[in-house]
Amino acid sequence: MPVKNFEKYRQQLVDLRDRLKADIAGHLEAIQEAVRAPGDDVDVTSHPADRDIEGLDTEVELGQRQHAILGQVEAALDRIDHGSYGRCESCGQEIASARLNALPYAGLCIRCEELAEAEGIDAVAGRRY
Protein backbone atom coordinates (compact mmCIF):
# COMPACT_ATOMS: atom_id res chain seq x y z
CA MET A 1 0.00 0.00 0.00
CA PRO A 2 1.45 3.38 -0.94
CA VAL A 3 2.73 5.37 2.04
CA LYS A 4 0.77 8.46 0.94
CA ASN A 5 -2.49 6.68 1.82
CA PHE A 6 -1.44 6.20 5.42
CA GLU A 7 -2.07 9.85 6.26
CA LYS A 8 -5.61 9.57 4.90
CA TYR A 9 -6.24 6.54 7.10
CA ARG A 10 -4.46 8.10 10.08
CA GLN A 11 -6.78 11.12 9.92
CA GLN A 12 -9.86 8.91 9.62
CA LEU A 13 -8.68 6.88 12.60
CA VAL A 14 -7.90 9.95 14.71
CA ASP A 15 -11.35 11.40 13.93
CA LEU A 16 -13.01 8.07 14.77
CA ARG A 17 -10.99 7.79 18.01
CA ASP A 18 -12.16 11.25 19.08
CA ARG A 19 -15.81 10.45 18.28
CA LEU A 20 -15.62 7.14 20.14
CA LYS A 21 -14.09 8.76 23.21
CA ALA A 22 -16.88 11.35 23.25
CA ASP A 23 -19.55 8.66 22.77
CA ILE A 24 -18.08 6.50 25.54
CA ALA A 25 -18.06 9.49 27.88
CA GLY A 26 -21.73 10.06 26.99
CA HIS A 27 -22.58 6.44 27.76
CA LEU A 28 -20.80 6.66 31.11
CA GLU A 29 -22.74 9.79 31.95
CA ALA A 30 -26.03 8.14 30.94
CA ILE A 31 -25.22 5.11 33.09
CA GLN A 32 -24.39 7.31 36.07
CA GLU A 33 -27.66 9.19 35.63
CA ALA A 34 -29.60 5.94 35.36
CA VAL A 35 -28.28 4.62 38.65
CA ARG A 36 -29.05 7.83 40.56
CA ALA A 37 -32.36 7.65 42.34
CA PRO A 38 -34.85 10.29 41.20
CA GLY A 39 -34.77 13.29 43.50
CA ASP A 40 -31.37 12.49 44.96
CA ASP A 41 -29.57 15.70 45.79
CA VAL A 42 -26.38 13.99 46.83
CA ASP A 43 -23.82 12.51 44.49
CA VAL A 44 -24.27 9.00 45.86
CA THR A 45 -25.50 6.31 43.52
CA SER A 46 -28.01 3.71 44.57
CA HIS A 47 -28.15 0.09 43.56
CA PRO A 48 -29.68 -0.36 40.06
CA ALA A 49 -31.92 -3.16 41.34
CA ASP A 50 -33.74 -0.62 43.51
CA ARG A 51 -35.54 0.92 40.55
CA ASP A 52 -36.38 0.51 36.90
CA ILE A 53 -33.18 0.22 34.86
CA GLU A 54 -34.75 0.15 31.43
CA GLY A 55 -32.11 1.07 28.90
CA LEU A 56 -29.21 0.67 31.29
CA ASP A 57 -28.17 -2.67 29.82
CA THR A 58 -28.22 -1.14 26.36
CA GLU A 59 -26.03 1.76 27.46
CA VAL A 60 -23.55 -0.63 29.06
CA GLU A 61 -23.47 -2.89 25.99
CA LEU A 62 -23.00 0.04 23.59
CA GLY A 63 -20.26 1.48 25.75
CA GLN A 64 -18.45 -1.87 25.88
CA ARG A 65 -18.70 -2.33 22.12
CA GLN A 66 -17.43 1.18 21.45
CA HIS A 67 -14.59 0.65 23.91
CA ALA A 68 -13.60 -2.50 22.01
CA ILE A 69 -13.65 -0.60 18.71
CA LEU A 70 -11.59 2.18 20.31
CA GLY A 71 -8.98 -0.43 21.16
CA GLN A 72 -8.94 -1.55 17.51
CA VAL A 73 -8.60 2.06 16.34
CA GLU A 74 -5.67 2.67 18.67
CA ALA A 75 -4.06 -0.59 17.53
CA ALA A 76 -4.45 0.52 13.90
CA LEU A 77 -2.78 3.85 14.68
CA ASP A 78 0.04 1.90 16.32
CA ARG A 79 0.36 -0.28 13.19
CA ILE A 80 0.69 2.88 11.08
CA ASP A 81 3.44 4.13 13.39
CA HIS A 82 5.27 0.79 13.17
CA GLY A 83 4.85 0.26 9.42
CA SER A 84 2.59 -2.80 9.55
CA TYR A 85 -0.69 -1.06 8.73
CA GLY A 86 -2.54 -2.57 5.80
CA ARG A 87 -1.18 -6.09 6.39
CA CYS A 88 -3.32 -8.86 7.85
CA GLU A 89 -2.27 -9.68 11.40
CA SER A 90 -3.04 -13.34 10.78
CA CYS A 91 -1.71 -14.24 7.33
CA GLY A 92 0.46 -11.21 6.51
CA GLN A 93 -1.24 -10.54 3.17
CA GLU A 94 -2.18 -7.02 2.15
CA ILE A 95 -5.65 -5.93 3.27
CA ALA A 96 -7.71 -4.70 0.33
CA SER A 97 -8.02 -0.92 0.18
CA ALA A 98 -11.80 -1.28 -0.21
CA ARG A 99 -11.87 -3.00 3.20
CA LEU A 100 -9.69 -0.32 4.79
CA ASN A 101 -11.85 2.39 3.26
CA ALA A 102 -14.91 0.82 4.86
CA LEU A 103 -13.22 -0.23 8.10
CA PRO A 104 -9.95 1.67 8.56
CA TYR A 105 -9.15 -0.15 11.81
CA ALA A 106 -9.38 -3.62 10.22
CA GLY A 107 -6.50 -5.80 11.28
CA LEU A 108 -7.54 -8.86 9.31
CA CYS A 109 -8.12 -9.43 5.62
CA ILE A 110 -11.59 -10.58 4.57
CA ARG A 111 -10.53 -14.24 4.37
CA CYS A 112 -9.04 -14.30 7.87
CA GLU A 113 -11.99 -12.33 9.26
CA GLU A 114 -14.38 -14.90 7.80
CA LEU A 115 -12.31 -17.73 9.30
CA ALA A 116 -12.39 -16.03 12.71
CA GLU A 117 -16.16 -15.56 12.47
CA ALA A 118 -16.61 -19.20 11.44
CA GLU A 119 -14.74 -20.16 14.63
CA GLY A 120 -17.05 -17.87 16.62
CA ILE A 121 -14.46 -15.21 17.36
CA ASP A 122 -15.55 -11.57 17.43
CA ALA A 123 -12.52 -9.78 15.94
CA VAL A 124 -13.54 -6.40 17.39
CA ALA A 125 -14.19 -7.59 20.91
CA GLY A 126 -11.46 -10.21 20.72
CA ARG A 127 -13.54 -12.97 22.28
CA ARG A 128 -15.72 -15.91 21.37
CA TYR A 129 -19.46 -15.43 21.06
Side-chain angles (χ1 to χ4, degrees):
M1 177 177 302
V3 175
K4 63 183 177 186
N5 287 340
F6 286 172
E7 281 310 310
K8 171 184 111 172
Y9 292 118
R10 179 187 302 279
Q11 190 57 53
Q12 288 176 346
L13 290 162
V14 167
D15 292 345
L16 180 56
R17 180 186 62 192
D18 293 346
R19 282 194 314 270
L20 286 167
K21 284 182 176 182
D23 286 350
I24 290 167
H27 289 297
L28 288 174
E29 187 175 314
I31 290 167
Q32 289 172 345
E33 287 298 316
V35 297
R36 270 191 240 292
D40 275 354
D41 290 334
V42 294
D43 197 20
V44 177
T45 58
S46 59
H47 193 278
D50 293 340
R51 74 190 141 308
D52 180 20
I53 57 168
E54 183 178 319
L56 184 59
D57 289 340
T58 302
E59 287 293 334
V60 169
E61 189 174 325
L62 285 171
Q64 289 173 335
R65 188 72 175 170
Q66 287 181 321
H67 194 268
I69 293 171
L70 178 60
Q72 293 291 316
V73 168
E74 289 174 341
L77 287 166
D78 190 51
R79 288 192 302 274
I80 288 174
D81 291 341
H82 291 96
S84 60
Y85 183 80
R87 294 249 168 235
C88 179
E89 294 177 325
S90 182
C91 71
Q93 295 296 314
E94 187 172 310
I95 299 173
S97 60
R99 178 162 171 75
L100 291 174
N101 288 335
L103 201 66
Y105 55 87
L108 300 175
C109 66
I110 292 281
R111 182 179 160 277
C112 290
E113 177 75 29
E114 288 172 348
L115 289 172
E117 288 177 7
E119 293 177 12
I121 298 172
D122 183 339
V124 172
R127 62 178 184 256
R128 289 193 178 276
Y129 49 86

